[in-house]
Amino acid sequence: MPISMVGGLRVMAAMFLLAFSFAPLAARAGEPPSAFALVRAPAISDVSIAPDGKHLVALTSADGDTINIAVWSTSDLSKPSAVIAAGKVRILSVRFLKSDRLLIDTVQTFTQGDDRGHLRRSFVSDLQGKAWTSLLPDQQARSSLDDYAAKFDNAYLIDTLPQDPTHVIVMDLRMRSSGDILKLDLYSGQTSKVESASEKFFSYRTDLTGQIRARQSADFEDGKLYIAQWFKDPATGQWSEHYRNYAKDRENMDVVGFSTDPNIVFVRSSKGRDKAGIYEYDLKQRKITEPLFEHKVFDADRVVIDHTPARLGQILGFTYLGPSGAIYWADDKLAALDKGVRAALGIQTATLAWTDPGTNAQVKIGVPTGANVGVISRSDDLKTVIVEKSGPRQPSEFYMLTDSGQLTLLGKAYPDLDLSVLGDTTLVEYTARDGLVIPAFLTKPPAGKFGPGPYPALIAPHGGPWARDDLAWDPAGWNQYFASRGYAVLQPQFRGSEGWGQKLWRAGDGEWGQKMQDDKDDGAKWLIDQKIAAPDRIAMFGYSYGGYAALVAAIRPNGLYQCAVSGAPGSLASFKRQTFNNRMLRELQRPTVEGLDAVAHASEVKIPLLLYRGDRDANKAVSDGGELKDVAADIKAAGKPYRMFEIKDMGHTYDTWTPAMAVRQLTEIDSFLTKECGPGGL
């Protein structure tokens, strides 16, 4: 890629989105956005460029509800796109498999006897949508079980084989041949077997040439579960076990890539460290030999490797789990491109004094303010790249950058949204009562409209609990909906959260509803001390594990919260049962699940409570042990204030939600906080 690509960037607006007639969503100037304006299907999303650079593909929605696929020729973006409609399924994502073939992920509801949930399937299509097929042909069902299984994905994509113009590598998931690794011709449908099915092995990985070179197996040593990592010798073709990851240790060494040297593999590991790094593993010596990338205060995530024929195996960069999506570019040209795009799009970075929760080391880190940018797709010749600009108060904007230096705005996800009424989100830290440093994300309402505070406040713990938040746009709308209405929202990265190092993660072991909950309460106290939250106007809201935490907040006698909103709260007893019944989870996660079972203590609720869930929630910790009707009955019998609702056809995960389901949540919660949260509402 010529360096001139990043010099003197010119931002231009493409015309192809003007062909859509968008529904009028804009509120009056200065008014908070409607719930629908924040959670509608984006006008444009999932943008990528074909390997040959000749076409763009994206998901589009003119009405904010129906999602279609649009394909444009990059030679003339003013020409109308080809539009591929979904029919009965809802499209979740799209990307190029080859320059003229698309991979489309979908979801739809299903009912099989008493089983009500959602089906996810992947399809392959040409660029006009004329040949819409499964990755592998469906087999004729031999039984009702086969017929039921055939409704799900029948193949798992392992490798797109970027150097092969016609083939991909897939695992056959069809009932009668489940587990075979096949090389599939996308155009003829013909397959050839690469590896035979085996109940013993899983997690197959290919090297740079598309050869299966890594796999895993599970077994026991002295009653202790381990995952064995196997590699195929590049010279002999023989498989051998190299190392073991013991479930109880929770310090995996995971394969993240292959080198051009057939004896060198790239692995991600946190063994003996608080933060994960990326290292070279030598197959001959059977050990880590060199560090490739380590970050002082954040987990390394993956290595970005070029798979195009001209630069096969070149390391382009490394991603790491910073406050927002972060990448260190090892390639000078891509580093220069990144710098130029940031300047052209006005990306600002603030320096923040940071105390590492794992080591208490005090360092300075750079944190994007308002928005960040990243290269999300590139042509094989690197003459054209797709750039996404987004952040917690900046819905995605998509740009195309060519080697001529032209940066073209392709479209905005929410073109009618008034960003001036949204809140700013910043990374903060506070100290828990036992001295542990807790990261958090704080979204404050616009000071120009709501003043300097104190504000009514929401403590919003994430789900998981082995998960984390970051500085990204929230497609569920929770943070900005309430920030635009005058609330401060704190997202504590409480002990038990992943992505901040081993110490913070492991500190949550056995502390459900106890020290994990203290961290959230200490966040509320910190907001009060900082004059951000009004002490008599605080509530907790969460979903999934966050819903469990909100139910705990309604039970524990701390006097901090005026009410709580609990979405799809799981039962601790049911979660323990589910993890016990799975041998891997029994050693990996079951020992960490101890504490207060909020569902069992629902009759002890002390403040007004709003409960809700989707009626197709397939999460067993919710549907088996945390049935809201039982929880509500206990609360009602105790004479405590509560309200409950269910959302038709909604599952547990976000990919099962429609905009109408997200709107229902926001408006119900808003009404509850305004009218039913303590004396006079929050």
Side-chain angles (χ1 to χ4, degrees):
M1 180 188 300
I3 284 293
S4 61
M5 182 174 183
V6 300
L9 295 179
R10 304 184 299 278
V11 180
M12 303 180 65
M15 302 300 293
F16 65 87
L17 280 182
L18 298 181
F20 289 102
S21 176
F22 295 112
L25 300 172
R28 290 179 295 176
E31 292 295 313
S34 69
F36 184 73
L38 286 170
V39 303
R40 58 156 289 165
I44 183 171
S45 62
D46 236 33
V47 183
S48 63
I49 190 164
D52 64 8
K54 294 181 180 180
H55 291 89
L56 290 172
V57 68
L59 300 184
T60 60
S61 180
D63 62 5
D65 187 26
T66 303
I67 300 172
N68 292 319
I69 297 170
V71 181
W72 294 268
S73 170
T74 55
S75 63
D76 188 354
L77 293 176
S78 65
K79 290 185 178 180
S81 65
V83 177
I84 302 174
K88 295 181 180 180
V89 298
R90 185 173 182 84
I91 300 174
L92 297 176
S93 66
V94 63
R95 64 186 176 100
F96 285 98
L97 276 177
K98 304 295 178 184
S99 290
D100 61 350
R101 286 295 182 272
L102 304 173
L103 181 67
I104 304 164
D105 294 323
T106 70
V107 67
Q108 67 185 114
T109 58
F110 81 95
T111 301
Q112 180 80 13
D114 294 332
D115 196 1
R116 302 175 72 252
H118 292 81
L119 296 173
R120 294 166 180 81
R121 290 205 73 173
S122 298
F123 297 91
V124 177
S125 172
D126 61 16
L127 301 189
Q128 293 76 41
K130 296 178 181 178
W132 183 298
T133 62
S134 300
L135 265 175
L136 292 173
D138 290 336
Q139 292 183 335
Q140 184 176 357
R142 295 181 299 179
S143 66
S144 59
L145 179 61
D146 282 353
D147 181 62
Y148 176 60
K151 293 182 173 68
F152 294 87
D153 263 342
N154 64 12
Y156 171 75
L157 181 68
I158 294 177
D159 193 339
T160 62
L161 299 180
Q163 301 175 77
D164 187 320
T166 59
H167 293 89
V168 296
I169 301 293
V170 300
M171 175 178 281
D172 190 348
L173 302 179
R174 297 174 298 182
M175 286 296 292
R176 277 173 282 172
S177 55
S178 180
D180 282 349
I181 309 296
L182 306 176
K183 190 172 186 178
L184 166 68
D185 187 317
L186 289 171
Y187 303 87
S188 69
Q190 294 183 343
T191 61
S192 59
K193 186 182 296 186
V194 177
E195 293 275 345
S196 296
S198 171
E199 294 182 357
K200 180 178 180 180
F201 296 107
F202 51 88
S203 295
Y204 291 89
R205 296 290 302 267
T206 54
D207 64 11
L208 294 171
T209 66
Q211 303 300 308
I212 300 291
R213 288 282 310 285
R215 66 187 185 187
Q216 292 181 328
S217 64
D219 212 330
F220 300 91
E221 182 181 296
D222 297 328
K224 299 175 182 178
L225 174 69
Y226 66 85
I227 305 299
Q229 182 65 59
W230 296 67
F231 292 106
K232 181 185 288 186
D233 187 289
T236 67
Q238 298 299 309
W239 288 98
S240 62
E241 179 186 329
H242 275 246
Y243 56 81
R244 296 177 176 182
N245 296 314
Y246 287 85
K248 66 178 182 62
D249 293 339
R250 289 156 55 190
E251 290 183 332
N252 289 355
M253 191 158 72
D254 299 317
V255 177
V256 294
F258 287 84
S259 168
T260 52
D261 183 338
N263 287 301
I264 298 298
V265 178
F266 304 139
V267 297
R268 178 182 186 268
S269 175
S270 59
K271 289 188 176 182
R273 307 175 75 248
D274 186 65
K275 306 297 188 297
I278 295 175
Y279 307 93
E280 288 188 356
Y281 179 86
D282 190 300
L283 296 180
K284 288 184 177 179
Q285 300 184 55
R286 292 178 174 256
K287 67 177 184 178
I288 287 175
T289 55
E290 295 287 340
L292 273 182
F293 178 77
E294 296 172 334
H295 194 285
K296 184 180 295 184
V297 293
F298 297 119
D299 284 330
D301 189 27
R302 61 186 180 91
V303 55
V304 183
I305 302 173
D306 201 319
H307 285 79
T308 58
R311 296 170 304 278
L312 184 65
Q314 179 179 337
I315 295 177
L316 302 178
F318 302 92
T319 63
Y320 60 95
L321 302 178
S324 62
I327 186 167
Y328 170 80
W329 289 111
D331 180 84
D332 291 340
K333 293 179 180 180
L334 285 172
L337 181 152
D338 182 75
K339 183 178 180 181
V341 168
R342 288 176 181 277
L345 296 181
I347 303 301
Q348 302 292 321
T349 301
T351 300
L352 177 68
W354 182 253
T355 301
D356 177 23
T359 64
N360 288 327
Q362 296 183 347
V363 298
K364 292 184 178 180
I365 60 174
V367 181
T369 58
N372 201 2
V373 296
V375 174
I376 59 172
S377 182
R378 57 188 186 272
S379 61
D380 280 353
D381 59 11
L382 285 183
K383 291 184 177 180
T384 310
V385 299
I386 306 301
V387 176
E388 180 180 11
K389 176 182 179 181
S390 65
R393 64 166 295 171
Q394 170 67 66
S396 294
E397 297 177 354
F398 298 95
Y399 296 83
M400 184 174 72
L401 175 62
T402 64
D403 59 355
S404 67
Q406 180 172 307
L407 187 65
T408 302
L409 173 64
L410 300 175
K412 299 182 179 183
Y414 297 87
D416 296 322
L417 194 58
D418 180 3
L419 304 187
S420 70
V421 302
L422 303 182
D424 282 318
T425 303
T426 55
L427 175 65
V428 299
E429 288 182 305
Y430 59 89
T431 303
R433 64 192 68 181
D434 65 354
L436 185 64
V437 174
I438 305 297
F441 295 98
L442 172 64
T443 304
K444 295 169 68 174
K449 181 174 182 180
F450 296 100
Y455 311 106
L458 298 177
I459 307 300
H462 59 70
W466 289 1
R468 61 163 288 174
D469 297 305
D470 56 21
L471 289 171
W473 177 257
D474 174 18
W478 289 330
N479 295 337
Q480 291 295 355
Y481 180 87
F482 291 104
S484 66
R485 285 158 173 77
Y487 294 84
V489 182
L490 185 73
Q491 298 168 273
Q493 307 303 288
F494 48 86
R495 68 193 70 205
S497 299
E498 284 186 304
W500 302 96
Q502 288 277 325
K503 180 180 176 181
L504 186 72
W505 179 36
R506 292 171 182 270
D509 292 0
E511 294 292 346
W512 288 49
Q514 298 172 156
K515 289 183 180 180
M516 290 170 75
Q517 200 73 17
D518 291 343
D519 293 344
K520 306 170 187 69
D521 295 351
D522 291 342
K525 293 175 182 177
W526 179 80
L527 288 180
I528 294 171
D529 292 342
Q530 298 295 312
K531 311 298 183 186
I532 297 171
D536 59 345
R537 303 180 70 190
I538 304 177
M540 186 178 290
F541 158 64
Y543 185 87
S544 191
Y545 167 83
Y548 157 85
L551 187 53
V552 172
I555 293 168
R556 296 209 327 175
N558 52 41
L560 279 171
Y561 307 105
Q562 279 62 60
C563 67
V565 179
S566 176
S571 158
L572 190 68
S574 181
F575 196 87
K576 289 167 68 174
R577 182 168 57 252
Q578 296 301 321
T579 53
F580 184 83
N581 290 338
N582 181 299
R583 185 64 193 263
M584 181 176 294
L585 293 179
R586 189 185 313 172
E587 293 191 42
L588 176 66
Q589 194 170 19
R590 170 62 183 81
T592 75
V593 185
E594 295 290 347
L596 174 65
D597 193 333
V599 168
H601 291 265
S603 61
E604 300 172 28
V605 162
K606 297 173 175 62
I607 54 178
L609 180 67
L610 179 64
L611 295 160
Y612 75 93
R613 59 162 283 181
D615 71 354
R616 288 182 182 266
D617 195 322
N619 186 308
K620 295 298 184 182
V622 176
S623 58
D624 284 358
E627 288 289 354
L628 292 200
K629 293 178 182 178
D630 296 335
V631 175
D634 290 342
I635 298 173
K636 182 177 181 180
K640 306 297 176 61
Y642 80 97
R643 184 157 61 84
M644 185 191 76
F645 67 95
E646 284 191 333
I647 299 179
K648 187 177 185 300
D649 286 340
M650 189 177 90
H652 191 77
T653 55
Y654 179 77
D655 62 359
T656 67
W657 300 2
T658 64
M661 295 169 185
V663 167
R664 176 84 187 278
Q665 293 179 64
L666 291 174
T667 53
E668 291 274 10
I669 294 168
D670 190 14
S671 175
F672 174 76
L673 294 176
T674 303
K675 300 175 183 178
E676 302 171 59
C677 184
L682 200 61

